Structures are given as C-alpha cells and as structure tokens.
Amino acid sequence: MNARSNVIIFFTLCLASLLALYADAFVERHTVKKFIIEERTKSLNKGLIHASKDNLYKVESMYRLSAGALIEKEGGSKNSFWSSLISSLSVQYQDRLRADPLFLKKSILEVLLAAGTQFMAELNRRGTTNIITEIDFVVAGVLTAVAGKYYSMWRVAPTMFSESEQKKVLTADNDGFWSKVPTNAFQRGENISNKMRAAAMITPIPNLFRAGFIASAFGYGLTAFLISLRTLLIPDYASVTRNVNVLAACLYTGGFMAVISNIRYQLLQGIIEPYLIEKPLAKFPKLKGITLFFVRLANGLLGSILAIMGMRIIGLQKLK
C-alpha cells in the first residue's frame, strides 16, 4: 500500500471517527432526555412535585442516570456538540476524582510516562543507530501510545457518583443491569455483584477498540501524510522504512487496547494501586508517590514493548 493510499485512508477514518462521536453524543442525549421526561411525568401525575420551572429542573438534575448524561433546563437553548462533549467529560472527570483524589496527578503522570516509555521502548527495540532512520515509526508509535494509554486509563478508572446519582442508578429499572456495571471490575462498592464485575471487563471492549482504532488512524495517518509531504518537498530523500498499512495498524491497535490494555489498567487501577500501594503506604505520602511513579513506569514500558513486538511479529513495521 503506497503513501497516497494511506493518506486517503487517514482522512476517511478521521471523518468516520467524527461521525461516530457525533452519533454517540446524539444517542446518549436522546436516551437520557427520554428517561427524564418519563420520570418527570410520573412525578407530576403522582403529585410529588409542582409544575414550576425551578422544580422541574431540580427533578431533571436528580434523574441523571450516568456521568455522561447532559441535562438542560426546561426551555433552555440547545448546546453545541463540542460544549456538550466538554460538559460530559467534566461530569465524568468529577466522578473519577470522587473515587480517586489522586486522579489528576495520575493523569498528568500517565501522559508524560506514555510518551517517555514509548520512546524508550522504541529506542530499545531499534537502537541508537536506527532511531533516526526509522523516525517515521517512532513518531507514529509515540502519538498512538499517548492517546491510547491515557484513554485506557480513563475508561477503566474507578468512578463514584454523587449520593443522588448513586441512589437513582441503583434503583433504576429503565436501564436494568448494564446501568449498574462499574467502570472498573475491582473497584470498591457494597452493591457490586460478581456478575457486574465480570461484565465490567467486557463493557470497555468496544470503546477501547474504537479508541485504539482512532488513535492509530491519527498517529500512522499523520505519519503517512508527513511522508508524502516530505516526498513532494524533497524528492531525492530515500526513506529506509516501508509505508505502514494504516488500516491494518488501526485494527491491530484497537484489538491490543481492547484486550491487553484493558486487562493491564483494570488490574493496575483496581487492585495494585488502591490495595497494594495506596492503602499500605497511606501514612507515607512521599514513598507512596515514588512507588506509584515506578509502578506506572513499569506498566507503560510493558505496554509499549508488547505493542512494538506484536507489530513486528505480524509484519506491520519493516524496513525496505
């Protein structure tokens, strides 16, 4: 597959990714608003609330089903897609921060380590003599790693709803079983059954696969675009690397995140950090911070090494 084909695939995947994000936001908004209207109508019929604007908004706020539910005031203006997305992420961030007060620090650490460990893994696999000649692969790998690793961390991080949200989710019949499944299979919770914990290992798979697919599309697609641009500007430059099949790389990265990254971050954030590091070292904050750093470093290196090994085994990264 030549560079031109990769560039075409890159822009096609970008467009498909944006459409998928918009579709998800639309479906989520429609589902939540439908539930809110039904619950509000029931409350009005039972005489539990008065039909004032303020009361209706309070009920809507109380009936939020998930961290991603976007609530609007009655008669209010419609939010744009991007403002809705930002609002949704803000709510989800608060739920993660409520479950883990160190989530922000861990997020910053994860991004820095994702870039650093991926570069170290690239350097270890290619050596100092080949790191420049194979820079096409290195840039794509680092960009993909940062996006993929952080989303993996975000998606399976333990969450905790506010009291009103938690009570409503636990008693809701509309969404049934799946609305009660936690984001992490091992997170604390008295009302989490073994069946829910098993489901928590499965529910992230579609989202992680899609995130890996998109991250790889941007990483390797951007690299293919830069290669094509370099060829146009410097016709005499001869690259020693073969053009990566962007579609194959996207499928591989999606599968890797759905399985390998899912398992690694579920264990890391559900068992290793809360039970083996944070709880025993609660009285030693500096030692706890250092331990968290090195454990995250080891996790990042392991993921990078496994990802590069897999790509080389199936022939996605080769020299000419």
Side-chain angles (χ1 to χ4, degrees):
M1 185 173 290
N2 55 35
R4 181 176 297 178
S5 299
N6 280 336
V7 172
I8 294 174
I9 291 176
F10 168 60
F11 285 109
T12 302
L13 293 175
C14 289
L15 179 60
S17 301
L18 290 174
L19 291 175
L21 287 173
Y22 181 80
D24 279 355
F26 177 80
V27 171
E28 180 183 31
R29 176 184 290 273
H30 176 74
T31 302
V32 173
K33 292 297 290 182
K34 181 180 179 182
F35 175 76
I36 290 172
I37 292 172
E38 291 176 352
E39 291 297 319
R40 188 181 60 193
T41 302
K42 291 178 183 178
S43 298
L44 284 169
N45 292 336
K46 293 178 180 179
L48 298 178
I49 61 172
H50 298 291
S52 67
K53 190 174 182 178
D54 291 338
N55 283 337
L56 292 178
Y57 178 60
K58 290 178 182 179
V59 172
E60 288 181 0
S61 299
M62 184 180 67
Y63 286 151
R64 287 190 297 174
L65 281 178
S66 66
L70 304 176
I71 312 301
E72 296 177 356
K73 287 189 178 181
E74 188 77 13
S77 61
K78 293 182 179 179
N79 292 325
S80 66
F81 167 73
W82 292 112
S83 61
S84 298
L85 181 62
I86 292 173
S87 299
S88 176
L89 290 175
S90 176
V91 176
Q92 293 180 48
Y93 169 73
Q94 291 299 326
D95 286 338
R96 283 159 174 76
L97 192 63
R98 199 176 292 115
D100 183 2
L102 296 176
F103 182 75
L104 177 58
K105 293 181 180 179
K106 290 179 181 179
S107 295
I108 297 173
L109 179 63
E110 185 67 26
V111 171
L112 295 176
L113 287 179
T117 55
Q118 183 66 25
F119 182 78
M120 290 171 61
E122 299 281 358
L123 187 64
N124 179 61
R125 293 288 298 175
R126 306 179 197 285
T128 54
T129 56
N130 296 326
I131 195 70
I132 300 300
T133 58
E134 300 182 40
I135 193 67
D136 302 340
F137 294 151
V138 175
V139 172
V142 171
L143 291 175
T144 304
V146 171
K149 288 181 178 179
Y150 184 71
Y151 182 77
S152 298
M153 171 194 172
W154 174 278
R155 180 61 184 81
V156 300
T159 54
M160 182 182 295
F161 291 166
S162 62
E163 292 183 4
S164 60
E165 288 176 328
Q166 190 174 16
K167 182 178 179 181
K168 190 61 190 177
V169 168
L170 292 175
T171 58
D173 295 326
N174 293 61
D175 278 2
F177 172 78
W178 294 103
S179 66
K180 305 171 187 177
V181 173
T183 52
N184 188 283
F186 307 102
Q187 73 181 55
R188 298 181 180 93
E190 297 179 357
N191 298 299
I192 304 176
S193 65
N194 292 332
K195 187 178 179 180
M196 292 179 186
R197 295 187 185 280
M201 295 293 293
I202 300 173
T203 50
I205 290 178
N207 287 335
L208 287 174
F209 179 86
R210 184 178 59 187
F213 192 94
I214 294 172
S216 187
F218 277 96
Y220 286 94
L222 180 60
T223 299
F225 174 75
L226 293 176
I227 292 173
S228 299
L229 183 62
R230 183 180 61 192
T231 302
L232 291 175
L233 298 176
I234 313 175
D236 296 334
Y237 181 85
S239 176
V240 299
T241 58
R242 295 181 182 178
N243 292 321
V244 175
N245 185 321
V246 176
L247 182 59
C250 291
L251 292 173
Y252 168 80
T253 307
F256 183 89
M257 283 184 56
V259 180
I260 306 300
S261 298
N262 184 18
I263 295 173
R264 285 192 300 113
Y265 282 95
Q266 292 265 14
L267 294 172
L268 175 67
Q269 297 181 121
I271 295 180
I272 297 175
E273 287 183 342
Y275 292 108
L276 302 182
I277 299 177
E278 294 174 5
K279 190 175 181 179
L281 301 179
K283 297 182 180 180
F284 309 97
K286 291 185 178 180
L287 180 59
K288 179 176 68 175
I290 294 173
T291 306
L292 285 172
F293 173 82
F294 281 106
V295 169
R296 289 259 171 185
L297 177 64
N299 178 66
L301 278 174
L302 176 63
S304 297
I305 292 172
L306 291 176
I308 295 173
M309 287 178 58
M311 295 197 80
R312 289 206 159 186
I313 289 173
I314 63 178
L316 286 176
Q317 293 188 351
K318 289 183 179 181
L319 299 178
K320 289 182 179 178

